[in-house]
Amino acid sequence: MSHYPFKALAAGKPPLIPVIHVENADHAEPVLEALVAAGIGLVEVTLRTTAAIEVIRRMVKLGSPAIIGAGTITRPEQFDAAVDAGAKFGVGPAFSPSLFEASRKTGLPFIPGIGTASEALWAREAGFYELKLFPAEFVGGIGWFKHIEPIYPDLIFCPTAGINAANAKDFLGCPNVFAVGGGFLAPRDRIEAEDWAAVESLSRQALAAIKD
C-alpha cells in the first residue's frame, strides 16, 4: 500500500486547499460552484460547525470534479460520519492512537496534524507519511520544512495557519510540501455574506499567484 494515499487521490489537482467554515448548509452548493469555477479541485470542510456533515453531503451530491474532504477531525466517530457523507479524505489538527485506528477502520485517507519533530516521528511510526503542519507559520514556517527535510526525507506536508495568497508559492517551493491549505481562498465572512463572486475571484488570484 502506498505511503501517500492523499497525494495519489489529489493527482492532477492544484495544490491549494480551501479550508471552509460553513454555518448554513444552503451555502454548500454556491460556495463549491464558485471554487470549482475558479479552478479549485480540493475542498476541506471543517467540522467545526453543526452544518458541516450536511455541507459535505450536499457538495458530494452535486457531482462536481472537486474532491471533498472533512477537516478538523478530532474524534474517532467523526470518521464514520464523514465517510457516510461522502468525504474522500480527512484532515486533523493533531493526532491520537484512536484517530489512527478510526482512519484505518474506515479506510479514509487521513492527514494528521503535527507541530514538532517528535510528533512527526510518532506519526510516521504509526504509518502516516502525509502530515499537516499546524499552525504552520507559528511553529517555524518555511524554515521548519528546510530543517526537517533531511531528517525525515520520506515525509511530506500540507501546512495550514498563516498561509495566504502572498506566501503560498514560497511554501510550495519546499520539496517536502505537497499542498497548502487555509481560509484565505474562501473566507468565512465572504461565505456568510453570500459573496460568491469574491470567493471565485480570491481563489483565481491565489491560483495565479502560485503559477507566476
Side-chain angles (χ1 to χ4, degrees), residues 10 12-18 32-43 66 163-170 172 178-182 184-186 198-212:
K13 304 292 187 183
L16 292 182
I17 306 176
L32 179 61
E33 288 168 349
L35 291 168
V36 171
I40 295 295
L42 302 163
V43 178
I163 314 298
N164 54 55
N167 64 16
K169 185 177 181 179
D170 293 332
L172 289 167
F178 67 92
V180 298
F184 65 99
L185 296 154
V199 170
E200 181 178 343
S201 177
L202 289 168
S203 294
R204 284 188 185 277
Q205 292 171 28
L207 284 168
I210 66 170
K211 295 175 182 176
D212 290 343

Side-chain angles (χ1 to χ4, degrees), residues 73-99:
I73 292 180
T74 58
R75 300 192 304 275
E77 61 269 22
Q78 290 175 316
F79 281 91
D80 285 327
V83 170
D84 181 67
K88 299 303 181 185
F89 66 93
V91 184
F95 68 83
S96 72
S98 63
L99 294 182

Side-chain angles (χ1 to χ4, degrees), residues 19-24 27 31 186-196 199:
V19 180
I20 64 172
H21 182 113
V22 184
E23 297 279 356
N24 183 348
H27 292 161
V31 70
R188 179 178 176 181
D189 63 341
R190 294 301 84 208
I191 293 173
E192 292 180 354
E194 300 184 350
D195 190 350
W196 314 125
V199 170

Side-chain angles (χ1 to χ4, degrees), residues 4-148:
Y4 311 106
F6 177 79
K7 186 176 180 181
L9 177 70
K13 304 292 187 183
L16 292 182
I17 306 176
V19 180
I20 64 172
H21 182 113
V22 184
E23 297 279 356
N24 183 348
D26 288 340
H27 292 161
E29 293 89 352
V31 70
L32 179 61
E33 288 168 349
L35 291 168
V36 171
I40 295 295
L42 302 163
V43 178
E44 177 187 334
V45 179
T46 176
L47 299 187
R48 289 180 289 173
T49 75
T50 56
I53 291 297
E54 180 61 18
V55 169
I56 293 172
R57 193 182 311 279
R58 289 171 66 159
M59 285 185 168
V60 171
K61 191 175 181 179
L62 271 182
S64 86
I67 298 172
I68 312 301
T72 322
I73 292 180
T74 58
R75 300 192 304 275
E77 61 269 22
Q78 290 175 316
F79 281 91
D80 285 327
V83 170
D84 181 67
K88 299 303 181 185
F89 66 93
V91 184
F95 68 83
S96 72
S98 63
L99 294 182
F100 290 155
E101 182 180 352
S103 169
R104 293 190 180 97
K105 181 180 177 181
T106 60
L108 188 70
F110 180 49
I111 306 171
I114 63 97
T116 68
S118 293
E119 291 174 355
L121 179 58
W122 295 336
R124 187 180 71 171
E125 288 180 349
F128 291 81
Y129 292 77
E130 299 169 309
L131 308 176
K132 168 180 174 173
L133 182 67
F134 177 81
E137 188 68 9
F138 309 102
V139 298
I142 290 171
W144 191 93
F145 292 109
K146 291 180 178 179
H147 287 286
I148 213 72

